[in-house]
PDB file of all heavy atoms in Angstrom:
ATOM      1  N   LYS A   1      96.776  99.122  95.146  1.00  0.00           N
ATOM      2  CA  LYS A   1      97.358  99.758  96.321  1.00  0.00           C
ATOM      3  C   LYS A   1      96.403 100.802  96.872  1.00  0.00           C
ATOM      4  O   LYS A   1      95.581 101.366  96.130  1.00  0.00           O
ATOM      5  CB  LYS A   1      98.716 100.387  96.008  1.00  0.00           C
ATOM      6  CG  LYS A   1      98.686 101.561  95.052  1.00  0.00           C
ATOM      7  CD  LYS A   1     100.091 102.079  94.813  1.00  0.00           C
ATOM      8  CE  LYS A   1     100.087 103.264  93.869  1.00  0.00           C
ATOM      9  NZ  LYS A   1     101.451 103.774  93.619  1.00  0.00           N
ATOM     10  N   VAL A   2      96.518 101.022  98.178  1.00  0.00           N
ATOM     11  CA  VAL A   2      95.693 101.999  98.875  1.00  0.00           C
ATOM     12  C   VAL A   2      96.623 102.875  99.722  1.00  0.00           C
ATOM     13  O   VAL A   2      97.367 102.360 100.547  1.00  0.00           O
ATOM     14  CB  VAL A   2      94.659 101.314  99.804  1.00  0.00           C
ATOM     15  CG1 VAL A   2      93.883 102.339 100.601  1.00  0.00           C
ATOM     16  CG2 VAL A   2      93.732 100.411  98.998  1.00  0.00           C
ATOM     17  N   ASP A   3      96.544 104.186  99.509  1.00  0.00           N
ATOM     18  CA  ASP A   3      97.305 105.147 100.312  1.00  0.00           C
ATOM     19  C   ASP A   3      96.482 105.418 101.574  1.00  0.00           C
ATOM     20  O   ASP A   3      95.432 106.060 101.510  1.00  0.00           O
ATOM     21  CB  ASP A   3      97.520 106.425  99.506  1.00  0.00           C
ATOM     22  CG  ASP A   3      98.286 107.497 100.258  1.00  0.00           C
ATOM     23  OD1 ASP A   3      98.458 107.372 101.491  1.00  0.00           O
ATOM     24  OD2 ASP A   3      98.703 108.469  99.602  1.00  0.00           O
ATOM     25  N   VAL A   4      96.956 104.925 102.714  1.00  0.00           N
ATOM     26  CA  VAL A   4      96.187 105.056 103.954  1.00  0.00           C
ATOM     27  C   VAL A   4      96.061 106.507 104.418  1.00  0.00           C
ATOM     28  O   VAL A   4      95.138 106.841 105.168  1.00  0.00           O
ATOM     29  CB  VAL A   4      96.750 104.170 105.098  1.00  0.00           C
ATOM     30  CG1 VAL A   4      96.725 102.702 104.709  1.00  0.00           C
ATOM     31  CG2 VAL A   4      98.147 104.599 105.506  1.00  0.00           C
ATOM     32  N   THR A   5      96.956 107.376 103.956  1.00  0.00           N
ATOM     33  CA  THR A   5      96.862 108.787 104.344  1.00  0.00           C
ATOM     34  C   THR A   5      95.707 109.465 103.625  1.00  0.00           C
ATOM     35  O   THR A   5      95.157 110.447 104.103  1.00  0.00           O
ATOM     36  CB  THR A   5      98.169 109.576 104.059  1.00  0.00           C
ATOM     37  OG1 THR A   5      98.397 109.620 102.644  1.00  0.00           O
ATOM     38  CG2 THR A   5      99.355 108.934 104.761  1.00  0.00           C
ATOM     39  N   GLN A   6      95.313 108.932 102.472  1.00  0.00           N
ATOM     40  CA  GLN A   6      94.214 109.472 101.692  1.00  0.00           C
ATOM     41  C   GLN A   6      92.902 108.722 101.938  1.00  0.00           C
ATOM     42  O   GLN A   6      91.830 109.247 101.643  1.00  0.00           O
ATOM     43  CB  GLN A   6      94.536 109.422 100.187  1.00  0.00           C
ATOM     44  CG  GLN A   6      95.759 110.209  99.798  1.00  0.00           C
ATOM     45  CD  GLN A   6      95.596 111.692 100.069  1.00  0.00           C
ATOM     46  OE1 GLN A   6      94.611 112.294  99.701  1.00  0.00           O
ATOM     47  NE2 GLN A   6      96.577 112.265 100.741  1.00  0.00           N
ATOM     48  N   GLU A   7      93.008 107.486 102.417  1.00  0.00           N
ATOM     49  CA  GLU A   7      91.843 106.606 102.567  1.00  0.00           C
ATOM     50  C   GLU A   7      91.735 106.013 103.963  1.00  0.00           C
ATOM     51  O   GLU A   7      91.835 104.799 104.151  1.00  0.00           O
ATOM     52  CB  GLU A   7      91.901 105.484 101.520  1.00  0.00           C
ATOM     53  CG  GLU A   7      91.869 105.948 100.088  1.00  0.00           C
ATOM     54  CD  GLU A   7      90.570 106.641  99.716  1.00  0.00           C
ATOM     55  OE1 GLU A   7      89.515 106.320 100.309  1.00  0.00           O
ATOM     56  OE2 GLU A   7      90.595 107.501  98.829  1.00  0.00           O
ATOM     57  N   PRO A   8      91.507 106.863 105.003  1.00  0.00           N
ATOM     58  CA  PRO A   8      91.414 106.304 106.358  1.00  0.00           C
ATOM     59  C   PRO A   8      90.238 105.338 106.516  1.00  0.00           C
ATOM     60  O   PRO A   8      90.346 104.358 107.256  1.00  0.00           O
ATOM     61  CB  PRO A   8      91.243 107.550 107.239  1.00  0.00           C
ATOM     62  CG  PRO A   8      90.731 108.610 106.322  1.00  0.00           C
ATOM     63  CD  PRO A   8      91.310 108.315 104.977  1.00  0.00           C
ATOM     64  N   GLY A   9      89.147 105.585 105.827  1.00  0.00           N
ATOM     65  CA  GLY A   9      87.994 104.678 105.912  1.00  0.00           C
ATOM     66  C   GLY A   9      88.322 103.297 105.383  1.00  0.00           C
ATOM     67  O   GLY A   9      87.921 102.284 105.962  1.00  0.00           O
ATOM     68  N   LEU A  10      89.068 103.256 104.296  1.00  0.00           N
ATOM     69  CA  LEU A  10      89.434 101.976 103.695  1.00  0.00           C
ATOM     70  C   LEU A  10      90.442 101.227 104.568  1.00  0.00           C
ATOM     71  O   LEU A  10      90.352 100.015 104.721  1.00  0.00           O
ATOM     72  CB  LEU A  10      90.008 102.217 102.292  1.00  0.00           C
ATOM     73  CG  LEU A  10      89.837 101.131 101.276  1.00  0.00           C
ATOM     74  CD1 LEU A  10      88.434 100.542 101.258  1.00  0.00           C
ATOM     75  CD2 LEU A  10      90.194 101.646  99.889  1.00  0.00           C
ATOM     76  N   SER A  11      91.371 101.955 105.174  1.00  0.00           N
ATOM     77  CA  SER A  11      92.314 101.277 106.063  1.00  0.00           C
ATOM     78  C   SER A  11      91.584 100.749 107.294  1.00  0.00           C
ATOM     79  O   SER A  11      91.945  99.702 107.836  1.00  0.00           O
ATOM     80  CB  SER A  11      93.480 102.190 106.449  1.00  0.00           C
ATOM     81  OG  SER A  11      93.048 103.306 107.166  1.00  0.00           O
ATOM     82  N   GLY A  12      90.518 101.431 107.729  1.00  0.00           N
ATOM     83  CA  GLY A  12      89.697 100.936 108.832  1.00  0.00           C
ATOM     84  C   GLY A  12      88.921  99.698 108.442  1.00  0.00           C
ATOM     85  O   GLY A  12      88.817  98.742 109.220  1.00  0.00           O
ATOM     86  N   ARG A  13      88.381  99.702 107.240  1.00  0.00           N
ATOM     87  CA  ARG A  13      87.619  98.538 106.746  1.00  0.00           C
ATOM     88  C   ARG A  13      88.478  97.286 106.727  1.00  0.00           C
ATOM     89  O   ARG A  13      88.018  96.184 106.987  1.00  0.00           O
ATOM     90  CB  ARG A  13      87.082  98.858 105.345  1.00  0.00           C
ATOM     91  CG  ARG A  13      86.231  97.776 104.755  1.00  0.00           C
ATOM     92  CD  ARG A  13      85.714  98.176 103.376  1.00  0.00           C
ATOM     93  NE  ARG A  13      84.717  99.218 103.412  1.00  0.00           N
ATOM     94  CZ  ARG A  13      83.408  99.021 103.649  1.00  0.00           C
ATOM     95  NH1 ARG A  13      82.968  97.798 103.898  1.00  0.00           N
ATOM     96  NH2 ARG A  13      82.564 100.017 103.633  1.00  0.00           N
ATOM     97  N   PHE A  14      89.757  97.435 106.409  1.00  0.00           N
ATOM     98  CA  PHE A  14      90.681  96.298 106.358  1.00  0.00           C
ATOM     99  C   PHE A  14      91.455  96.144 107.671  1.00  0.00           C
ATOM    100  O   PHE A  14      92.313  95.283 107.780  1.00  0.00           O
ATOM    101  CB  PHE A  14      91.654  96.449 105.184  1.00  0.00           C
ATOM    102  CG  PHE A  14      91.058  96.074 103.864  1.00  0.00           C
ATOM    103  CD1 PHE A  14      90.263  96.971 103.163  1.00  0.00           C
ATOM    104  CD2 PHE A  14      91.277  94.822 103.312  1.00  0.00           C
ATOM    105  CE1 PHE A  14      89.705  96.633 101.937  1.00  0.00           C
ATOM    106  CE2 PHE A  14      90.722  94.465 102.085  1.00  0.00           C
ATOM    107  CZ  PHE A  14      89.936  95.378 101.406  1.00  0.00           C
ATOM    108  N   PHE A  15      91.150  96.998 108.639  1.00  0.00           N
ATOM    109  CA  PHE A  15      91.785  96.981 109.958  1.00  0.00           C
ATOM    110  C   PHE A  15      93.305  96.982 109.849  1.00  0.00           C
ATOM    111  O   PHE A  15      94.006  96.154 110.437  1.00  0.00           O
ATOM    112  CB  PHE A  15      91.278  95.789 110.791  1.00  0.00           C
ATOM    113  CG  PHE A  15      91.324  96.074 112.265  1.00  0.00           C
ATOM    114  CD1 PHE A  15      90.431  96.968 112.829  1.00  0.00           C
ATOM    115  CD2 PHE A  15      92.267  95.478 113.080  1.00  0.00           C
ATOM    116  CE1 PHE A  15      90.471  97.245 114.186  1.00  0.00           C
ATOM    117  CE2 PHE A  15      92.328  95.756 114.434  1.00  0.00           C
ATOM    118  CZ  PHE A  15      91.427  96.642 114.993  1.00  0.00           C
ATOM    119  N   VAL A  16      93.823  97.924 109.066  1.00  0.00           N
ATOM    120  CA  VAL A  16      95.263  98.047 108.849  1.00  0.00           C
ATOM    121  C   VAL A  16      95.893  98.756 110.049  1.00  0.00           C
ATOM    122  O   VAL A  16      95.514  99.868 110.385  1.00  0.00           O
ATOM    123  CB  VAL A  16      95.554  98.835 107.549  1.00  0.00           C
ATOM    124  CG1 VAL A  16      97.036  99.133 107.402  1.00  0.00           C
ATOM    125  CG2 VAL A  16      95.034  98.058 106.339  1.00  0.00           C
ATOM    126  N   THR A  17      96.833  98.078 110.702  1.00  0.00           N
ATOM    127  CA  THR A  17      97.497  98.654 111.875  1.00  0.00           C
ATOM    128  C   THR A  17      99.009  98.742 111.684  1.00  0.00           C
ATOM    129  O   THR A  17      99.691  99.370 112.497  1.00  0.00           O
ATOM    130  CB  THR A  17      97.193  97.827 113.135  1.00  0.00           C
ATOM    131  OG1 THR A  17      97.576  96.466 112.902  1.00  0.00           O
ATOM    132  CG2 THR A  17      95.708  97.897 113.495  1.00  0.00           C
ATOM    133  N   THR A  18      99.560  98.097 110.665  1.00  0.00           N
ATOM    134  CA  THR A  18     100.988  98.178 110.358  1.00  0.00           C
ATOM    135  C   THR A  18     101.156  98.433 108.876  1.00  0.00           C
ATOM    136  O   THR A  18     100.286  98.086 108.079  1.00  0.00           O
ATOM    137  CB  THR A  18     101.734  96.875 110.733  1.00  0.00           C
ATOM    138  OG1 THR A  18     101.146  95.790 110.017  1.00  0.00           O
ATOM    139  CG2 THR A  18     101.674  96.601 112.218  1.00  0.00           C
ATOM    140  N   LEU A  19     102.290  99.012 108.514  1.00  0.00           N
ATOM    141  CA  LEU A  19     102.567  99.316 107.105  1.00  0.00           C
ATOM    142  C   LEU A  19     103.893  98.702 106.681  1.00  0.00           C
ATOM    143  O   LEU A  19     104.826  98.685 107.477  1.00  0.00           O
ATOM    144  CB  LEU A  19     102.616 100.826 106.887  1.00  0.00           C
ATOM    145  CG  LEU A  19     101.306 101.569 107.124  1.00  0.00           C
ATOM    146  CD1 LEU A  19     101.534 103.069 106.997  1.00  0.00           C
ATOM    147  CD2 LEU A  19     100.218 101.104 106.155  1.00  0.00           C
ATOM    148  N   PRO A  20     104.000  98.249 105.445  1.00  0.00           N
ATOM    149  CA  PRO A  20     102.872  98.009 104.563  1.00  0.00           C
ATOM    150  C   PRO A  20     102.114  96.748 104.974  1.00  0.00           C
ATOM    151  O   PRO A  20     102.683  95.852 105.572  1.00  0.00           O
ATOM    152  CB  PRO A  20     103.540  97.811 103.193  1.00  0.00           C
ATOM    153  CG  PRO A  20     104.913  97.297 103.514  1.00  0.00           C
ATOM    154  CD  PRO A  20     105.282  97.894 104.845  1.00  0.00           C
ATOM    155  N   THR A  21     100.833  96.720 104.673  1.00  0.00           N
ATOM    156  CA  THR A  21     100.001  95.537 104.894  1.00  0.00           C
ATOM    157  C   THR A  21      99.546  95.050 103.529  1.00  0.00           C
ATOM    158  O   THR A  21      99.114  95.852 102.709  1.00  0.00           O
ATOM    159  CB  THR A  21      98.775  95.864 105.771  1.00  0.00           C
ATOM    160  OG1 THR A  21      99.231  96.226 107.067  1.00  0.00           O
ATOM    161  CG2 THR A  21      97.835  94.675 105.875  1.00  0.00           C
ATOM    162  N   ILE A  22      99.673  93.758 103.295  1.00  0.00           N
ATOM    163  CA  ILE A  22      99.300  93.180 101.995  1.00  0.00           C
ATOM    164  C   ILE A  22      98.213  92.133 102.213  1.00  0.00           C
ATOM    165  O   ILE A  22      98.313  91.292 103.111  1.00  0.00           O
ATOM    166  CB  ILE A  22     100.525  92.549 101.296  1.00  0.00           C
ATOM    167  CG1 ILE A  22     101.584  93.633 101.038  1.00  0.00           C
ATOM    168  CG2 ILE A  22     100.116  91.861  99.998  1.00  0.00           C
ATOM    169  CD1 ILE A  22     102.901  93.104 100.494  1.00  0.00           C
ATOM    170  N   TYR A  23      97.188  92.225 101.372  1.00  0.00           N
ATOM    171  CA  TYR A  23      96.109  91.244 101.377  1.00  0.00           C
ATOM    172  C   TYR A  23      96.020  90.554 100.034  1.00  0.00           C
ATOM    173  O   TYR A  23      96.275  91.169  98.991  1.00  0.00           O
ATOM    174  CB  TYR A  23      94.754  91.916 101.645  1.00  0.00           C
ATOM    175  CG  TYR A  23      94.440  92.127 103.100  1.00  0.00           C
ATOM    176  CD1 TYR A  23      94.725  93.334 103.724  1.00  0.00           C
ATOM    177  CD2 TYR A  23      93.843  91.117 103.858  1.00  0.00           C
ATOM    178  CE1 TYR A  23      94.432  93.537 105.061  1.00  0.00           C
ATOM    179  CE2 TYR A  23      93.553  91.317 105.196  1.00  0.00           C
ATOM    180  CZ  TYR A  23      93.843  92.520 105.786  1.00  0.00           C
ATOM    181  OH  TYR A  23      93.554  92.717 107.109  1.00  0.00           O
ATOM    182  N   HIS A  24      95.615  89.287 100.076  1.00  0.00           N
ATOM    183  CA  HIS A  24      95.232  88.546  98.875  1.00  0.00           C
ATOM    184  C   HIS A  24      93.707  88.452  98.930  1.00  0.00           C
ATOM    185  O   HIS A  24      93.142  88.203 100.001  1.00  0.00           O
ATOM    186  CB  HIS A  24      95.844  87.142  98.894  1.00  0.00           C
ATOM    187  CG  HIS A  24      95.349  86.270  97.781  1.00  0.00           C
ATOM    188  ND1 HIS A  24      94.279  85.419  97.947  1.00  0.00           N
ATOM    189  CD2 HIS A  24      95.746  86.146  96.496  1.00  0.00           C
ATOM    190  CE1 HIS A  24      94.059  84.780  96.796  1.00  0.00           C
ATOM    191  NE2 HIS A  24      94.935  85.201  95.910  1.00  0.00           N
ATOM    192  N   ALA A  25      93.067  88.690  97.828  1.00  0.00           N
ATOM    193  CA  ALA A  25      91.607  88.541  97.749  1.00  0.00           C
ATOM    194  C   ALA A  25      91.272  87.666  96.554  1.00  0.00           C
ATOM    195  O   ALA A  25      91.842  87.833  95.479  1.00  0.00           O
ATOM    196  CB  ALA A  25      90.954  89.909  97.598  1.00  0.00           C
ATOM    197  N   ASN A  26      90.369  86.743  96.780  1.00  0.00           N
ATOM    198  CA  ASN A  26      89.896  85.885  95.694  1.00  0.00           C
ATOM    199  C   ASN A  26      88.392  85.790  95.797  1.00  0.00           C
ATOM    200  O   ASN A  26      87.866  85.150  96.702  1.00  0.00           O
ATOM    201  CB  ASN A  26      90.557  84.506  95.767  1.00  0.00           C
ATOM    202  CG  ASN A  26      90.328  83.697  94.512  1.00  0.00           C
ATOM    203  OD1 ASN A  26      90.177  84.267  93.434  1.00  0.00           O
ATOM    204  ND2 ASN A  26      90.300  82.387  94.637  1.00  0.00           N
ATOM    205  N   ASP A  27      87.710  86.482  94.884  1.00  0.00           N
ATOM    206  CA  ASP A  27      86.238  86.536  94.867  1.00  0.00           C
ATOM    207  C   ASP A  27      85.656  86.856  96.239  1.00  0.00           C
ATOM    208  O   ASP A  27      84.746  86.205  96.721  1.00  0.00           O
ATOM    209  CB  ASP A  27      85.653  85.225  94.317  1.00  0.00           C
ATOM    210  CG  ASP A  27      85.950  85.052  92.828  1.00  0.00           C
ATOM    211  OD1 ASP A  27      86.012  86.073  92.113  1.00  0.00           O
ATOM    212  OD2 ASP A  27      86.131  83.902  92.386  1.00  0.00           O
ATOM    213  N   GLY A  28      86.207  87.895  96.875  1.00  0.00           N
ATOM    214  CA  GLY A  28      85.675  88.379  98.141  1.00  0.00           C
ATOM    215  C   GLY A  28      86.148  87.664  99.381  1.00  0.00           C
ATOM    216  O   GLY A  28      85.734  87.987 100.485  1.00  0.00           O
ATOM    217  N   VAL A  29      87.028  86.673  99.223  1.00  0.00           N
ATOM    218  CA  VAL A  29      87.611  85.985 100.378  1.00  0.00           C
ATOM    219  C   VAL A  29      89.004  86.572 100.588  1.00  0.00           C
ATOM    220  O   VAL A  29      89.849  86.523  99.688  1.00  0.00           O
ATOM    221  CB  VAL A  29      87.677  84.456 100.160  1.00  0.00           C
ATOM    222  CG1 VAL A  29      88.358  83.777 101.345  1.00  0.00           C
ATOM    223  CG2 VAL A  29      86.289  83.880  99.927  1.00  0.00           C
TER     224      VAL A  29
END
């Protein structure tokens, strides 16, 4: 999990615009 209030750079990297946002990652995909 990533707290977007503490990690604005990370939410930008994942282009998070709605909450909660969930991603699946498999070896960088």
Side-chain angles (χ1 to χ4, degrees):
K1 67 181 180 180
V2 176
D3 179 347
V4 300
T5 65
Q6 300 297 311
E7 298 296 331
L10 209 45
S11 62
R13 183 179 289 277
F14 281 82
F15 208 71
V16 172
T17 56
T18 58
L19 295 175
T21 295
I22 299 173
Y23 276 95
H24 172 266
N26 192 29
D27 291 327
V29 177

